[in-house]
Amino acid sequence: MAYAAVLAPPAMQDALRQPDKWNSEWEALIKTVERVSASDLLNSAAIQLAMDPEGMDWAFMEYQNLIARLCHVQAWLTLDASLYFARDDLEAKWLSATPDLRGKHLLIGLSNACSIAKNLHDARLYCGRELKLARLRGDGRVLLDLVRSVMVEGALEVPKEPRYVPHSAWDAVSEAQKRATPTDAEKLTLGRILVLRTKLICHVLHFTIRSFVGEELPEVTVSKNRKKKGTETFPSQTFAAAFMEQTLGPDGARAAVKDNKDALKDRKSKRKEHCSYTGCVKANNGDEKYPRCKKCWDQMQRDVPYCSVECQRADWKLYHKTICGKPLTFDAVSKPVLAPKTPPAPAVGPPVGGFKRSNLLALHITALTHLPKADYIIMGAEDTSVTIDLPDPEAQALFRKFREKAMTTGDKQSVATMAHFLCWMSIADPKLAARKDPTSNAIVSQMKKEYGFDELHLAVAEMQNRQNRDPLRRPVLLFSMSPQNWVKFCKGMNVNSQVVLD
Ligand SMILES: [Zn+2]
Ligand SMILES: [Zn+2]
């Protein structure tokens, strides 16, 4: 039974071109899918896998890659969602938004997430009601529950295993398979569906909440995989072409086939080659080619590129020696391979004296622990956060003394001293001032939330007065700096800058 043809998904390239039309086509298809059982969908996927000329080896590699990527996406989504819950009141704002507003961001999320890769786009078939726009926009709790169901323990920590989104029909198929004695191909077919549907849901959530809080959409790159020449025609494309001819007529079908080909060419041109060592995953920018493992290529036509000899050696020790040049099995690829990491020492001590940290402050401390060079982080999304790293060792030591006190006890004087110093630096230091980011208002607004200190702007104004009264014009944080060092420190700075807050 060729469901591949009957359940032909809408053209992927329409997701961004005509999101409304594309989405209606999907919704209509999903209605049809509701009448198809999960095990029939599984059979259809098994047929596609069997017809795939790229073969099982390629599918195994893809599967392993998908699991590892899913773990990373979940860590990234966890970090962003924790920040938006703590900083932007995501929960309250999402719940009180109108369905139309939620729908607008959901459609951005759906169409962008489905434009990442064809396998993700087509995985919408396996999500059924979960990604139905009307359901997600109507009741705000649905999306929030989904976000919480895929958030992993400990922000910034890549999990060892992904968290799958539960689904009664797929879970039943999964249980049934466990009771039988499935072949590797059967395990792979189901495993691929489960990982792809969870990955798509995670991307949709990630894009949607980023769009909703006004951050830039995350940039996701897709791996390029070189393969032997002469394996290009895909039998299901012949099916799809035949199906299109029935529905669109010969001219319409020809135009649609051409459109699909152009879109594929465009997607291929954006793919990047990634280093295979999980501790690196560096991507090259297209022109250069990474050298690959010769044995894997010669014996298995398996593409395993490395950016450097060091990465190849590290991966060999970690994992590659177990699979090099050998046929893969489901068990060999069903666990993500993670490069070993020793947990970093905490940047700040535990809270004392009954001080209760806000979620935002706890998140900030986790981030500082992973970025030991950073002195303070004004948090935005990954690409818009500003990390403050004080180059002067004495200023840094003083800053960190105040930071430790503020972050372990919540001491208001220390918070205000730090806040004023950061605001003042952002305008007095010409390098920071030229960037215009972060603004004093952004710094103070984050710190108000971190320490639950609503009157912080008044305390900062008082710190500015104290600086103005100092004959050397030192900010309060640097009061104990020797005059000689202060002269060195403030060379080239606009010492008379005044912190003014809205
Ligand atoms: Zn590398
Ligand atoms: Zn190899």
Side-chain angles (χ1 to χ4, degrees), residues 112-235:
N112 280 279
C114 285
S115 298
I116 297 172
K118 181 83 166 98
N119 55 9
L120 278 178
H121 177 269
D122 292 357
R124 196 171 168 187
L125 200 60
Y126 308 126
C127 301
R129 295 188 67 237
E130 286 160 303
L131 289 184
K132 240 186 181 169
L133 185 61
R135 181 170 167 263
L136 288 164
R137 75 198 278 282
D139 181 352
R141 280 168 303 187
V142 178
L143 176 122
L144 296 173
D145 287 349
L146 267 178
V147 170
R148 294 215 166 84
S149 76
V150 292
M151 283 173 75
V152 292
E153 294 278 315
L156 288 178
E157 224 41 271
V158 176
K160 290 196 177 66
E161 273 178 54
R163 283 188 77 178
Y164 289 96
V165 177
H167 182 286
S168 55
W170 287 117
D171 293 347
V173 170
S174 211
E175 284 307 311
Q177 190 179 74
K178 271 181 212 149
R179 287 192 299 270
T181 40
T183 62
D184 265 11
E186 285 164 343
K187 284 193 229 172
L188 183 64
T189 309
L190 179 60
R192 192 171 175 277
I193 289 176
L194 298 181
V195 72
L196 277 170
R197 44 171 257 110
T198 294
K199 190 163 185 279
L200 176 62
I201 291 171
C202 290
H203 283 300
V204 171
L205 299 171
H206 198 193
F207 280 85
T208 304
I209 60 172
R210 278 249 183 147
S211 168
F212 184 70
V213 301
E215 296 282 1
E216 266 177 51
L217 297 181
E219 218 177 291
V220 184
T221 57
V222 177
S223 282
K224 182 186 286 199
N225 215 292
R226 281 176 280 164
K227 43 192 105 104
K228 267 191 21 187
K229 290 211 165 59
T231 52
E232 284 297 319
T233 20
F234 190 50

Side-chain angles (χ1 to χ4, degrees), residues 293-297 302 304 306 312 316 320 323-325:
C293 175
K294 191 174 177 309
K295 197 172 166 194
C296 281
W297 182 257
R302 186 185 299 155
V304 186
Y306 292 104
Q312 182 164 16
W316 178 262
H320 193 70
I323 58 150
C324 187

